[in-house]
Amino acid sequence: MGIVPESGRGAAARVGAHLDASAAADPHTLRAHNLGIVMRMLRDHGSLTRKDIEQSTGLVAASVTNLLADLSGRRLVRDVRGGGAEARGRGRPRVMVEQVPDRCLALAVRIERTRVTAEVHSSAGVLLDSASRSVTLAWGQPGDVAHAVAGLVARAEGIAADHGGLLLACVVTVPGPVSHENRIADSVEFGWGHLELVELIRAAGVPSELPLEVINDSNAAALAEHFALPLPRPGVMLYVEASIAAGVGGGVIADGRILTGGRGFGGELGHVTVDWRGRPCHCGANGCLSAYIGPDALLTSARLVDHAQLAGRQAAMDEFRARLTRGEKRAVDVALRAGDILGAGMRSVYDVINPTTLVLGGYLAGMRRWIEPGIQMQLAPRTEKLAPVAVESGRLGRRAGLVGAARHGLLPLFDDPTLVPPAS
Ligand SMILES: [Zn+2]
């Protein structure tokens, strides 16, 4: 739905979007909707003139002024002097509108085996704080994770207070599937099954008013990589990442949100079947993509298992990459084959959700030169007749998960900026 006029006069004639009958009955909903559109424009473009906003929304100047006054009253936006006319030495400097850089904050927390890492990001994309805590996870037990997260929340509340900002959400990422009810279903890495981590974190002292969510780490990374793409961003994007530490993960982004399906377990692209009688996967199935392009599979095919035992798996993967760059035949063959297998998996996904972009993360990003030909060849029966798929390397690397978790936590602000009360 596009911009909807709050009072039909004036703006109505300019609006091409259809009016939603239920929304039309509720002025607050309309206002929230229109404020959200302005906030999303500022999120996506950084700063804009009032004229830019009028032209993009089709609203008259008075309506734009009114919406900006509302957002300004909540201390969400501010005026800044633009450089355009001033730099050319004529006329008055342009006044631009931008988000207040430290008003709305989200805390992103990544849980790993020995460490919990946290970052505080603002809705304007500013990183305000980063911190980490060592944790001890016994297999299958949450250990002191909940207390570590609660401590990081308290720290973030302090950062928000220092800036006169609001901490709007805490989003925690974990490896493995997480249900819509925030229940960690099965974390192979930690041995957590059906763990109610949110309840544990609340019990450790996080106030009930702060929205607290647990999501899958690859899904978070997918969302960050989606926002890192140039405008206009793809309607449906696939993300596949692979790393020594966490194996193969993935995510689907649709309409700017993580698509997790009916119960929350969607987007696990690493477990798409590429051979129904194939290699066993740790998930319990056979022939998952993960069993062919995961770190152990690649190191085995590249005959680097001994190297991994002597020097560690990361060193072995670095060696694989070095051999690839030198053009050594075995390494190149392994990478080309990985591209074929990944492409076959993505063809199945193409038929279900018709993505326009595939973003590669982790070590797959650095292998794109060798794996993209296979991906495109496998997709060709679809992409040549229907529509192409752009294959890109992720832009954010290891940072993607935390950036995406913060983005996810701030999405409600951009749907309804009135959740931030007027500033006193
Ligand atoms: Zn699997």
Side-chain angles (χ1 to χ4, degrees):
M1 188 166 69
I3 268 277
V4 177
E6 287 169 49
S7 62
R9 300 177 72 86
R14 293 161 154 264
V15 171
H18 49 273
L19 264 166
D20 176 318
S22 61
D26 177 358
H28 175 84
T29 307
L30 288 187
R31 165 146 292 233
H33 171 81
N34 290 349
L35 291 171
I37 288 175
V38 174
M39 283 295 284
R40 292 198 291 279
M41 287 177 68
L42 293 171
R43 176 188 66 189
D44 293 343
H45 296 277
S47 58
L48 294 167
T49 64
R50 284 171 160 71
K51 200 101 213 138
D52 294 332
I53 298 171
E54 286 166 28
Q55 281 166 358
S56 299
T57 58
L59 285 174
V60 295
S63 302
V64 170
T65 299
N66 187 283
L67 290 172
L68 290 175
D70 186 318
L71 294 173
S72 177
R74 299 173 199 279
R75 226 165 68 71
L76 292 173
V77 303
R78 67 180 187 185
D79 285 345
V80 281
R81 300 268 168 216
E86 196 175 36
R88 291 195 298 274
R90 57 192 164 83
R92 287 181 302 165
R94 289 196 301 172
V95 176
M96 312 284 287
V97 182
E98 66 174 23
Q99 289 189 68
V100 174
D102 54 359
R103 172 65 166 156
C104 294
L105 316 181
L107 172 67
V109 181
R110 173 197 283 145
I111 299 179
E112 293 168 293
R113 194 186 290 276
T114 57
R115 207 159 51 124
V116 174
T117 315
E119 288 184 357
V120 177
H121 290 255
S122 84
S123 62
V126 180
L127 173 63
L128 292 173
D129 185 48
S130 55
S132 73
R133 301 268 190 280
S134 297
V135 287
T136 45
L137 306 179
W139 178 255
Q141 298 295 320
D144 50 0
V145 165
H147 282 95
V149 176
L152 291 163
V153 169
R155 180 185 166 102
E157 297 273 18
I159 301 281
D162 290 347
H163 286 264
L166 295 169
L167 184 64
L168 294 185
C170 171
V171 179
V172 178
T173 71
V174 294
V178 184
S179 77
H180 281 165
E181 296 81 34
N182 281 302
R183 189 178 295 125
I184 294 167
D186 175 25
S187 166
V188 173
E189 204 175 330
F190 308 149
W192 292 352
H194 302 285
L195 182 72
E196 303 276 4
L197 187 61
V198 166
E199 280 179 22
L200 293 175
I201 295 171
R202 292 262 187 234
V206 170
S208 57
E209 306 85 71
L210 180 72
L212 178 59
E213 202 179 335
V214 181
I215 64 173
N216 171 266
D217 53 7
S218 299
N219 281 339
L223 186 67
E225 293 291 359
H226 172 83
F227 275 105
L229 289 172
L231 297 167
R233 300 190 187 101
V236 176
M237 185 200 101
L238 304 179
Y239 176 71
V240 182
E241 66 175 6
S243 68
I244 286 287
V248 182
V252 178
I253 304 300
D255 297 327
R257 279 153 215 277
I258 299 167
L259 184 75
T260 53
R263 302 211 189 262
F265 305 132
E268 287 285 355
L269 299 177
H271 299 281
V272 170
T273 306
V274 290
D275 178 356
W276 67 280
R277 286 180 300 190
R279 297 176 187 168
C281 176
H282 63 72
C283 73
N286 282 74
C288 296
L289 182 57
S290 177
Y292 296 85
I293 67 165
D296 293 331
L298 289 191
L299 293 177
T300 303
S301 304
R303 296 191 182 159
L304 283 164
V305 174
D306 290 347
H307 194 109
Q309 276 163 0
L310 284 171
R313 292 159 85 221
Q314 188 57 56
M317 189 54 83
D318 292 344
E319 174 62 20
F320 173 62
R321 183 57 211 271
R323 291 180 185 184
L324 204 48
T325 309
R326 291 198 297 269
E328 288 189 20
K329 187 174 182 312
R330 173 165 291 278
V332 170
D333 286 347
V334 168
L336 293 175
R337 184 173 146 78
D340 276 336
I341 295 170
L342 179 54
M346 292 307 102
R347 190 173 64 226
S348 299
V349 181
Y350 183 103
D351 289 330
V352 180
I353 54 169
N354 194 200
T356 51
T357 305
L358 166 63
V359 178
L360 303 171
Y363 61 67
L364 297 175
M367 288 169 62
R368 180 162 69 97
R369 207 178 114 199
W370 295 276
I371 60 180
E372 183 173 356
I375 296 170
Q376 294 293 7
M377 196 183 76
Q378 292 296 324
L379 284 171
R382 302 293 181 275
T383 54
E384 284 172 7
K385 289 183 196 143
L386 303 173
V389 174
V391 177
E392 307 238 3
S393 293
R395 290 160 160 81
L396 301 174
R398 277 276 293 162
R399 297 198 56 237
L402 286 168
V403 171
R407 288 262 187 202
H408 178 77
L410 289 163
L411 285 174
L413 167 71
F414 294 100
D415 291 333
D416 179 2
T418 66
L419 67 85
V420 174
S424 47

